Amino acid sequence: MQANSLDGAMLRQHWPMRWRMEGLRLNTMDAERRCFDGSIEVSGDRIVAIGPSLPPPEAGVTVIDRQGWTMFPGFIQGHVHLCQTLFRGQAEGRSLDLWLRERIWPLEAAHTPRSLEASAKLGIAEILLHGATTVLDMGTVHHTALIARVAEQMGIRAILGKALMDTGPDLPRGLAQDPQQAFAEALALHEEWHGASGGRIRVAFAPRFILSVSKSLWAMIAAESRRTGILIHTHVSETPWENETCQRMHGSSPVKVLDRWGILDCPAVLVHVIWIDEEEREILRRRGVAIIHCPGSNAKLGSGIADVVSLLQLGIPVGLGSDGAACNDAMSIPLEMRLAAQLQSLRHAPAQLKPDAPLAMATTLGARALGLDNEIGSLEEGRRADLVLFGPGDLGWAPDLPAHHHLTFGCAGERPREVFVDGHMLVSDGALVQDDLERLRAEAVIERAALLERAALKE
C-alpha cells in the first residue's frame, strides 16, 4: 500500500506498523557521521533498515514518498523543569539565588495537581513541536507522578524524578521534607513508573543541588544508585554564589564535595557546570559523569558561559538542555545549538567548537549523557525510531552547505514538520497529532492565574 495514495488525515489516524520513507536526506549521526540520500524503514518502534539503496520493500510495508525532506535523529532535551512552564515571565531580572528564593520556590510550593498537569502538558507540547523526542525532567517536590502520567499519555520519551529538597535557607515549608520521607517518595516513584510504556518512561533521582540537600540524604541517594544503577540528575556549579555558599557550608566546591561524598561514583548527569577549574574537570573525566549545557538559561540569568570546548576535549559527554521556561522562555533545542556555538566563540575563539558539535550535543552526545546511546541519538538499524523531519526548503536554500549548518545557524528555531517517538507520529505538518495546542494554552492560562493568586508574590 502506497502512503501517498492515502489522505493525510487518514494516514495520521491509521499510521502503519511497518513503513518506509524514501527520497530523504538522512543525517545519521552514527559513528562515521554519515549523511546521504536514501531511505529508512521502521517496524514497530525500531529502525530495521537504512541506506542509500535498500532492496524492494516486502509485502505489507507502506511506502511514503518524502522526496527532498531532511531527517535527523530525535533531539534530546537534556534538562528541563516541566513544572515551570506556567512560570514563564514571572522571575525576570534576578540572579539565581534571588530567582529561586523570591519566585521559583514559592511558585513550586503553590502548585496543585491541576496546575502541575497543565504545566507539564504545555511544556511537553512545546518540546515536541521543536523536535525533541526525549526529555530529562527535574520535577518538583510533590505530585511528580502526574508528570510521568502526562509524558506517558503524550508519547514523549522521558526520564524524570521527584525534586529532593530537605534543607537550606529560605526554603518554603511546602517544599522542605524530612530526608527519609523524601527518599521514600523517590523510591516509590521509581517503583511505580520506571520502565513504563515499554521503557519509554524512566525514573531518576533528582536532588536539586548541593545547597538544598543534606549530607544524609545524599548518602541515601548514592547508596541506592550504586546498588541499582538509578541515574542521579542534579545542578552543579551554576553560579559563583553557589560555589561560595558550598565552600562555607562544606569546605570545598560542589564538584569536590560531591566527589568526596561518593556521588560521582554513581551514574550521574550534572547540569550547568560553569564555574569549575581544571582540577575539577579532571575529576569529572575520571569519574565518567556527563554534563548538560543550558546556554539560554545561563545567558538569561547571567550565570556565565560553561567551557564546553574543554569538556569535550576531555571526552566528557555534553548534551544540551533548555532548562525551565522561567529562565529561558523558549523550549527549542535548535536554538540552544545556535547559542552554544556562538557563546563558545565568545569564550574561546571562532572554530574552537567543531562545526557539527552542536548537533552531536543535541543527539548522540545527549543520548550518551543520559545512558541511552544504545537506544537513541542516531539513525541506525536496531535503534528506536525517534525521528525528526524537515520539509523541502525548511533548512535553507544552499544545497552545498551541510544540514547541520542550516539547522544550527541559517534556520535556528525552525520547527520540524514531523516528529516520531518509537515509530509513532506525534507531530504532523507542524502540529500535535494527539493534542490541540490552543486548548493546552487555554488550560494553562486558567491554571496560571490561580497559581499566581495562591503564591501571592510580592515585587
Side-chain angles (χ1 to χ4, degrees), residues 3 9 20 36 71 132 165 199 204 232 260 285 334 370 390 400:
R20 177 184 292 190
F36 53 80
M71 179 183 283
M165 306 172 72
I232 298 173
R260 188 170 74 225
R285 183 201 66 78
L370 272 54
F390 293 85
D400 57 314

Side-chain angles (χ1 to χ4, degrees), residues 218-236:
W218 280 112
M220 287 185 268
I221 293 166
E224 187 66 17
S225 178
R226 280 193 292 271
R227 189 180 72 84
T228 62
I230 297 175
L231 184 71
I232 298 173
H233 170 208
T234 190
H235 305 88
V236 171

Side-chain angles (χ1 to χ4, degrees), residues 171-251:
L171 194 61
R173 284 180 296 176
L175 296 183
Q177 288 189 299
D178 172 82
Q180 292 287 350
Q181 178 189 356
F183 185 66
E185 290 180 5
L187 288 181
L189 183 72
H190 187 273
E191 178 68 22
E192 180 182 5
W193 282 100
H194 190 72
S197 293
R200 184 165 54 79
I201 308 298
R202 306 186 187 204
V203 175
F205 284 128
R208 190 137 200 165
F209 71 150
I210 198 163
L211 305 185
S212 63
V213 180
S214 66
K215 184 177 180 180
S216 62
L217 182 50
W218 280 112
M220 287 185 268
I221 293 166
E224 187 66 17
S225 178
R226 280 193 292 271
R227 189 180 72 84
T228 62
I230 297 175
L231 184 71
I232 298 173
H233 170 208
T234 190
H235 305 88
V236 171
S237 293
E238 187 174 357
T239 64
W241 163 76
E242 177 190 339
N243 282 12
E244 292 161 4
T245 306
C246 184
Q247 180 74 39
R248 290 196 302 271
M249 291 173 61
H250 303 297

Side-chain angles (χ1 to χ4, degrees), residues 101-116:
R101 292 199 298 262
E102 296 179 359
R103 284 292 187 269
I104 300 307
W105 287 343
L107 285 165
E108 286 193 22
H111 257 312
T112 64
R114 286 178 62 91
S115 63
L116 182 60

Side-chain angles (χ1 to χ4, degrees), residues 221-429:
I221 293 166
E224 187 66 17
S225 178
R226 280 193 292 271
R227 189 180 72 84
T228 62
I230 297 175
L231 184 71
I232 298 173
H233 170 208
T234 190
H235 305 88
V236 171
S237 293
E238 187 174 357
T239 64
W241 163 76
E242 177 190 339
N243 282 12
E244 292 161 4
T245 306
C246 184
Q247 180 74 39
R248 290 196 302 271
M249 291 173 61
H250 303 297
S252 195
S253 69
V255 167
K256 291 179 180 177
V257 173
L258 292 177
D259 187 40
R260 188 170 74 225
W261 290 352
I263 309 303
L264 304 188
D265 291 333
C266 306
V269 176
L270 311 184
V271 183
H272 302 303
V273 197
I274 302 169
W275 297 94
I276 61 170
D277 58 25
E278 185 175 350
E279 179 185 359
E280 290 165 316
R281 283 194 291 272
E282 178 58 26
I283 291 172
L284 300 178
R285 183 201 66 78
R286 191 169 63 249
R287 297 303 187 195
V289 301
I291 308 299
I292 298 298
H293 178 44
C294 301
S297 168
N298 299 158
K300 182 170 182 176
L301 291 176
S303 300
I305 304 173
D307 189 349
V308 172
V309 169
S310 295
L311 293 169
L312 292 174
Q313 287 174 346
L314 288 171
I316 297 171
V318 181
L320 285 174
S322 294
D323 212 337
C327 59
N328 188 323
D329 295 281
M331 307 284 266
S332 168
I333 286 298
L335 285 178
E336 300 302 319
M337 290 167 55
R338 176 187 175 95
L339 191 56
Q342 292 172 329
L343 292 180
Q344 291 308 294
S345 292
L346 285 175
R347 173 152 189 160
H348 292 278
Q352 291 301 301
L353 197 67
K354 293 181 180 179
D356 66 346
L359 178 57
M361 292 162 68
T363 55
T364 181
L365 286 175
R368 185 178 158 204
L370 272 54
L372 297 177
D373 45 321
N374 289 326
E375 294 281 302
I376 60 173
S378 61
L379 303 178
E380 299 181 73
E381 290 183 15
R383 294 291 197 269
R384 298 274 186 174
D386 291 6
L387 317 168
V388 172
L389 290 100
F390 293 85
D394 289 350
L395 294 180
W397 53 269
D400 57 314
L401 292 175
H404 65 74
H405 182 280
H406 287 301
L407 183 65
T408 304
F409 295 110
C411 301
E414 180 75 23
R415 280 169 37 175
R417 303 266 190 104
E418 295 179 348
V419 176
F420 294 79
V421 175
D422 271 351
H424 297 290
M425 177 183 273
L426 300 183
V427 173
S428 175
D429 197 25

